[in-house]
Amino acid sequence: MDEIERAALVKAVGKAIAAKRGENGLSQENVAEILGISREAVSRMETGVAIPSVVRLAELAEIFGCAIEELLTEASNRKLDQAKHITELLADLNQEKRDLLLSVIKQLISGFSQK
């Protein structure tokens, strides 16, 4: 993984952390207090300035009530991780809406493939 890919991954993980925090109605101050760190440290993780350790990711997942992999999968550029994320997004839709989305996705892929 080169430096550009690494930076993009760290930023994406930070965005996932911020999104999960928001989904849970928590402020950076709330998360910082639970973790025993400064609000600035939380901000640095969310903006991709600081890389959270595996232990810190586990703590964040516990706070947000999610699996550690959720913080990583949404940020990953690996095809399998992206496919899993799409599967999770489709899970709550009825069959008709999933079929419609699959049709749109097929059209988009076809359009991208032609260029």
Side-chain angles (χ1 to χ4, degrees), residues 102-115:
L102 286 174
S103 174
V104 170
I105 290 168
K106 286 177 185 177
Q107 290 175 0
L108 286 169
I109 290 171
S110 176
F112 289 147
S113 296
Q114 293 175 4
K115 296 181 179 187

Side-chain angles (χ1 to χ4, degrees), residues 10-94:
V10 172
K11 281 196 178 287
V13 169
K15 284 177 130 177
I17 292 168
K20 289 291 184 188
R21 179 180 56 75
E23 289 171 15
N24 284 274
L26 297 169
S27 67
Q28 288 182 341
E29 290 83 10
N30 298 140
V31 173
E33 185 176 321
I34 294 167
L35 294 174
I37 60 176
S38 70
R39 186 205 58 78
E40 291 79 14
V42 174
S43 176
R44 287 193 302 271
M45 282 188 285
E46 290 184 0
T47 57
V49 173
I51 303 170
S53 68
V54 173
V55 172
R56 185 67 75 205
L57 286 172
E59 291 170 336
L60 289 165
E62 186 173 325
I63 292 167
F64 302 146
C66 69
I68 296 171
E69 67 185 42
E70 287 181 57
L71 297 174
L72 300 173
T73 302
E74 292 181 25
S76 176
N77 63 356
R78 293 179 50 219
K79 290 177 188 175
L80 288 176
D81 291 336
Q82 291 170 338
K84 181 176 181 183
H85 183 62
I86 290 170
T87 301
E88 291 166 358
L89 292 171
L90 293 172
D92 293 332
L93 300 178
N94 65 35

